[in-house]
Structures are given as C-alpha cells and as structure tokens.
Amino acid sequence: MGTPGFLAIGSGPAGVSAAETFRARHPKIPVRILSADPALPYAKPPLNKEYLGGGHANLELHTAGWFRRHDIELRLGVTVEHIDVEAQEVVTAGGARFPYWHLVLAPGSAAVPLGVPGGDTAQPLRSFADAVALKMAARYASTAVVIGGGLIGCETAGRLAALGVDTALVLPEAAPLQRRFGMEVGLRVARMLADVGVRVVCGTAVDAVDEVGVTLASGEKVDGDVVVAATGVRPDIRLAADAGLTTRHGRVVVDEHMRTSARNIYAAGDVTIAYNSAAGRPVVAEHWRDAAQQGLVAGLTAAGHSAAWDKVPGFTCAIGTFTLNYRGWGSGFDDFTLTEKAGGFTVTYRGRGRVVGTLEARSNPAS
Ligand SMILES: Cc1cc2nc3c(=O)[nH]c(=O)nc-3n(C[C@H](O)[C@H](O)[C@H](O)COP(=O)(O)OP(=O)(O)OC[C@H]3O[C@@H](n4cnc5c(N)ncnc54)[C@H](O)[C@@H]3O)c2cc1C
C-alpha cells in the first residue's frame, strides 16, 4: 500500500521524466514509479542501432543509486491492472493497491501483433529483453527477414545487414517510409538500404512465418534464421478506457498541461493525443524526446507549476549510413520540395500553403 503522493505508471521517458521533475519540485512528497518492465529504465532508440550493431550503447537513463538518492521508489515488473478514480488508487495484477494524489499515466504503446500463421514466433522489438533476444539470435544467423517498412523496420534491417546477415525487408507499401515521407523519399530510403546490402521487397504482404523464414502472398519463400516483426505499435489505452478517461482515435486526450479528463490524472508520451499550444491543436507525437518533454510538463503541472507543451515534435533515426532528422507535425502534407545537398538532401513539406515539416538526410560513411 504505502502513503499517497506522486505516482507514475510506466518507466519510459514520459514516466521517468514526470517523476524526476515532480521530485525536483517537492523533495518531501513520496514519488513512486510502477512499471511492467523488469529492467532499470533505459533508452529505447539505441536498442536497434548501437546496441544491435555491437557498438558502444549508452542505454541507462539513471542508475539504481540515482533513484535511491532522489528518493524515487521504483517498482519494476509490476503491471497495473486498474485505476480506481474514486478512491485515487491503482490496483496491480497481484491485487496490491497504491494510493495517489497525482497520477501520470505513461504506458506507451504495444506492438501490433502479426496476424498470420506463425506470426507469434516472429521476434518483436519493443523492449530491452526483445533487443537482447534479437542480438543473440543475429549472432548465429546467416539470414534475416524484417517485416514492416516503418522506422524501426528500416533501421533494424540496415543494422542486421551491416552485421553481415543476409537481410530482406518485406513491406506492403511501394517503398519504405512512403506513408510518412512520400514516394520520392521512400525510393531514396530503399536505396540507402540496398547500399548496405538489404534486399528490399516492396508491395507484398507476409502470409506465414515458419522456422525457415516467411512465405509471401505471392507464394515466394524468403529465408530467415531470424524473423523480426516490426509491424507497428498501438497506444495502450486499456487502463485509461477502463477508468473512463476521455480517449479519441485510440489515444488518451490531454490538454497542453497534460491533464486528462479525470481529476489529478495526467498522461504523457506515446499514449496521448495532446494539445500543442504552438500548433494550436491536438497533436500526436510518438517519439522519444516528445515523450520526455510531455513527461516534464506533466510533472510540472502535477507539482503546481505552470507548464505547457509547445515544442515542435521530431526525431532522429539512422538508416544504413544515413542519419535522418525530422521536425514537424507529422500529419500529412499536400506538396514538398526536395533539395540535393552534399552527402544528402533536405525536404520541406507543406500543407495548406504552410510549412508543416522538414526532413534532413545526411550520409555518415564511417557509420
Ligand atoms: C527499438 C526502438 C527504437 C526506437 N527508436 C527511436 C528513435 O530513434 N527516435 C525516437 O524519437 N523514438 C524512437 N523510438 C520510440 C520511442 O522509444 C518511444 O516514442 C518512447 O519510448 C515512448 O515513451 P513512453 O514513455 O510514452 O512509453 P514507453 O517508452 O513505451 O514506456 C512505457 C512503459 O510503461 C510500462 N507499462 C505499460 N503498461 C503498463 C502497465 N499496465 N502497468 C505498469 N507499467 C506499464 C512499460 O513496461 C514501459 O516501461 C524507438 C522505439 C523502439 C522500441
């Protein structure tokens, strides 16, 4: 049970940032994080980049000693099953109840299952445990199939190929990242991957996964000692919906201060659709820095300080020997201008005559 205070559900960037921000403002009030993940809070972006590639990967967000010194109680491997809004308590899978004055809901997203025969045997890549399993499997693999042409699929395929694994990337779209960045950039991303040895198989679905690889809709078999499911994620709104919080488009609705529709409950990170005061409308951002930023705003609001989410969302990713840097509202575009630069290109996306995003691609041949 314990004394009520500040409580965060989730030990990703949103939950940790909220807890440490609140602690910095209120040294005496109990601060607690409950997380289903058994690992000490870690950085996810390096998992399928430096960590998978075998280079130096700085994964640790804070040491166990840091949490102790800052008097933040970290309960790992604990799944919250229910929020009792009336009693201001959360209930765990084991039936333990934790009271709160302020609750930050930051459960992130869950992987979209690969709904084909054998799909459950494909390796997901959402957590440190998944990354360890993939890294070990890659060590003994000569072939790999990565299913899904989004950011995680493209990055992972490029890293596996760089490790010397004969890798295919299979996707239903006409080009990788096409839905996000358009066809012209998609074709360039396909080339970035081909240049590091990835065989990019576009416009086809996977019909089945078995112990030797995958079967495509065309009937073609693609060998994979390792098969990775990078088939997308879905915000995990189960707790919020069960507690009666307002949700829209499968996300928890929060204002610019990260307040949900329930008293003393805030939400931050991948799970939200949040009002952004610079955009003047609700925005979805499923990126590391934005989750940490929303956590900071939630922590400040809970601590009684004035704070609003007003940053332009964005992310950096690494595909083959390229680094891609995107800043923008990520809500589609009407047209774009692509400009060639030494060692890369930039793209300016416009919607309704205004700039809605910029993408910069830069080659780092040493990577
Ligand atoms: C392999 C990989 C690479 C990525 N690369 C990039 C990148 O290069 N750039 C970028 O911007 N973003 C990247 N991302 C996305 C980024 O990591 C996410 O946007 C970010 O982690 C979201 O933070 P969050 O705090 O909302 O959720 P998460 O980081 O997903 O954390 C959610 C936490 O909640 C816990 N939880 C869930 N349900 C419960 C429950 N019921 N009870 C208790 N705990 C619960 C989970 O165990 C987890 O600890 C990557 C993600 C992955 C998986």
Short mmCIF file of all heavy atoms in Angstrom, two decimals, residues 51-52 54 131-143 160 163-165 225-226:
data_model
loop_
_atom_site.label_atom_id
_atom_site.label_comp_id
_atom_site.label_asym_id
_atom_site.label_seq_id
_atom_site.Cartn_x
_atom_site.Cartn_y
_atom_site.Cartn_z
N TYR A 51 23.24 -0.64 -30.00
CA TYR A 51 23.22 -1.88 -29.22
C TYR A 51 23.18 -3.11 -30.14
O TYR A 51 24.00 -4.02 -30.00
CB TYR A 51 22.03 -1.89 -28.25
CG TYR A 51 21.97 -3.15 -27.43
CD1 TYR A 51 22.86 -3.37 -26.38
CD2 TYR A 51 21.05 -4.15 -27.73
CE1 TYR A 51 22.83 -4.55 -25.64
CE2 TYR A 51 21.00 -5.32 -27.00
CZ TYR A 51 21.90 -5.52 -25.97
OH TYR A 51 21.87 -6.68 -25.26
N LEU A 52 22.27 -3.12 -31.11
CA LEU A 52 22.19 -4.26 -32.03
C LEU A 52 23.46 -4.36 -32.86
O LEU A 52 23.95 -5.45 -33.14
CB LEU A 52 20.96 -4.10 -32.95
CG LEU A 52 20.76 -5.17 -34.02
CD1 LEU A 52 20.61 -6.56 -33.40
CD2 LEU A 52 19.54 -4.86 -34.90
N GLY A 54 26.40 -3.69 -32.01
CA GLY A 54 27.56 -4.13 -31.24
C GLY A 54 28.49 -3.01 -30.83
O GLY A 54 29.55 -3.24 -30.24
N ALA A 131 15.46 -6.75 -27.41
CA ALA A 131 16.72 -6.40 -28.09
C ALA A 131 17.82 -7.41 -27.76
O ALA A 131 18.62 -7.77 -28.63
CB ALA A 131 17.15 -4.99 -27.69
N VAL A 132 17.85 -7.89 -26.52
CA VAL A 132 18.84 -8.91 -26.14
C VAL A 132 18.59 -10.17 -26.96
O VAL A 132 19.52 -10.76 -27.53
CB VAL A 132 18.76 -9.22 -24.62
CG1 VAL A 132 19.60 -10.43 -24.27
CG2 VAL A 132 19.18 -8.01 -23.80
N ALA A 133 17.30 -10.57 -27.05
CA ALA A 133 16.96 -11.79 -27.80
C ALA A 133 17.35 -11.65 -29.27
O ALA A 133 17.93 -12.57 -29.86
CB ALA A 133 15.46 -12.08 -27.67
N LEU A 134 17.10 -10.48 -29.84
CA LEU A 134 17.43 -10.29 -31.26
C LEU A 134 18.94 -10.28 -31.48
O LEU A 134 19.46 -10.89 -32.42
CB LEU A 134 16.81 -8.98 -31.78
CG LEU A 134 17.16 -8.63 -33.23
CD1 LEU A 134 16.70 -9.73 -34.19
CD2 LEU A 134 16.53 -7.30 -33.63
N LYS A 135 19.64 -9.62 -30.57
CA LYS A 135 21.11 -9.54 -30.72
C LYS A 135 21.73 -10.94 -30.65
O LYS A 135 22.62 -11.27 -31.44
CB LYS A 135 21.66 -8.63 -29.61
CG LYS A 135 23.11 -8.30 -29.79
CD LYS A 135 23.52 -7.24 -28.79
CE LYS A 135 25.00 -7.01 -28.85
NZ LYS A 135 25.41 -5.81 -28.15
N MET A 136 21.24 -11.74 -29.71
CA MET A 136 21.77 -13.10 -29.58
C MET A 136 21.45 -13.92 -30.83
O MET A 136 22.31 -14.63 -31.37
CB MET A 136 21.16 -13.82 -28.37
CG MET A 136 21.54 -13.26 -27.03
SD MET A 136 23.30 -13.02 -26.85
CE MET A 136 23.82 -14.67 -26.53
N ALA A 137 20.20 -13.80 -31.31
CA ALA A 137 19.80 -14.57 -32.50
C ALA A 137 20.61 -14.14 -33.71
O ALA A 137 21.03 -14.98 -34.52
CB ALA A 137 18.30 -14.37 -32.75
N ALA A 138 20.87 -12.84 -33.83
CA ALA A 138 21.60 -12.31 -35.00
C ALA A 138 23.03 -12.85 -35.02
O ALA A 138 23.61 -13.06 -36.09
CB ALA A 138 21.60 -10.79 -34.98
N ARG A 139 23.58 -13.07 -33.84
CA ARG A 139 24.95 -13.56 -33.74
C ARG A 139 25.13 -14.90 -34.45
O ARG A 139 26.18 -15.20 -35.00
CB ARG A 139 25.30 -13.68 -32.25
CG ARG A 139 26.71 -14.08 -32.00
CD ARG A 139 26.99 -14.12 -30.53
NE ARG A 139 27.10 -12.80 -29.93
CZ ARG A 139 27.45 -12.57 -28.68
NH1 ARG A 139 27.71 -13.59 -27.89
NH2 ARG A 139 27.54 -11.36 -28.22
N TYR A 140 24.08 -15.74 -34.42
CA TYR A 140 24.17 -17.08 -35.01
C TYR A 140 23.39 -17.20 -36.32
O TYR A 140 23.24 -18.30 -36.84
CB TYR A 140 23.66 -18.11 -33.99
CG TYR A 140 24.45 -18.07 -32.71
CD1 TYR A 140 23.92 -17.48 -31.57
CD2 TYR A 140 25.75 -18.57 -32.68
CE1 TYR A 140 24.67 -17.40 -30.40
CE2 TYR A 140 26.50 -18.48 -31.51
CZ TYR A 140 25.96 -17.90 -30.38
OH TYR A 140 26.70 -17.81 -29.23
N ALA A 141 22.89 -16.07 -36.85
CA ALA A 141 22.06 -16.14 -38.06
C ALA A 141 22.87 -15.85 -39.31
O ALA A 141 23.77 -15.01 -39.28
CB ALA A 141 20.92 -15.12 -37.95
N SER A 142 22.54 -16.54 -40.41
CA SER A 142 23.12 -16.10 -41.69
C SER A 142 22.10 -15.33 -42.49
O SER A 142 22.47 -14.56 -43.38
CB SER A 142 23.64 -17.25 -42.54
OG SER A 142 23.48 -18.47 -41.97
N THR A 143 20.79 -15.55 -42.21
CA THR A 143 19.76 -14.82 -42.96
C THR A 143 18.75 -14.22 -41.98
O THR A 143 18.54 -14.75 -40.88
CB THR A 143 19.00 -15.77 -43.91
OG1 THR A 143 18.50 -16.87 -43.14
CG2 THR A 143 19.89 -16.30 -45.02
N LEU A 160 21.17 -5.17 -39.24
CA LEU A 160 21.42 -6.61 -39.40
C LEU A 160 22.31 -6.85 -40.62
O LEU A 160 23.25 -7.66 -40.57
CB LEU A 160 20.09 -7.37 -39.55
CG LEU A 160 19.24 -7.48 -38.28
CD1 LEU A 160 17.85 -8.01 -38.59
CD2 LEU A 160 19.93 -8.40 -37.26
N LEU A 163 25.82 -6.18 -39.96
CA LEU A 163 26.46 -7.24 -39.16
C LEU A 163 26.87 -8.43 -40.04
O LEU A 163 27.41 -9.42 -39.54
CB LEU A 163 25.49 -7.75 -38.08
CG LEU A 163 25.24 -6.83 -36.90
CD1 LEU A 163 24.10 -7.39 -36.04
CD2 LEU A 163 26.51 -6.69 -36.06
N GLY A 164 26.53 -8.36 -41.33
CA GLY A 164 26.91 -9.44 -42.23
C GLY A 164 25.81 -10.47 -42.40
O GLY A 164 26.03 -11.52 -43.01
N VAL A 165 24.61 -10.18 -41.86
CA VAL A 165 23.49 -11.11 -42.01
C VAL A 165 22.78 -10.77 -43.33
O VAL A 165 22.50 -9.60 -43.61
CB VAL A 165 22.49 -10.97 -40.83
CG1 VAL A 165 21.34 -11.95 -40.99
CG2 VAL A 165 23.21 -11.16 -39.50
N ASP A 225 16.78 -17.05 -40.77
CA ASP A 225 17.06 -17.72 -39.49
C ASP A 225 16.43 -16.90 -38.37
O ASP A 225 16.05 -17.42 -37.33
CB ASP A 225 18.58 -17.80 -39.27
CG ASP A 225 19.27 -18.59 -40.38
OD1 ASP A 225 18.63 -19.51 -40.91
OD2 ASP A 225 20.43 -18.27 -40.71
N VAL A 226 16.37 -15.57 -38.62
CA VAL A 226 15.69 -14.67 -37.69
C VAL A 226 14.60 -13.95 -38.48
O VAL A 226 14.84 -13.49 -39.59
CB VAL A 226 16.66 -13.56 -37.20
CG1 VAL A 226 15.96 -12.66 -36.19
CG2 VAL A 226 17.91 -14.13 -36.64
#
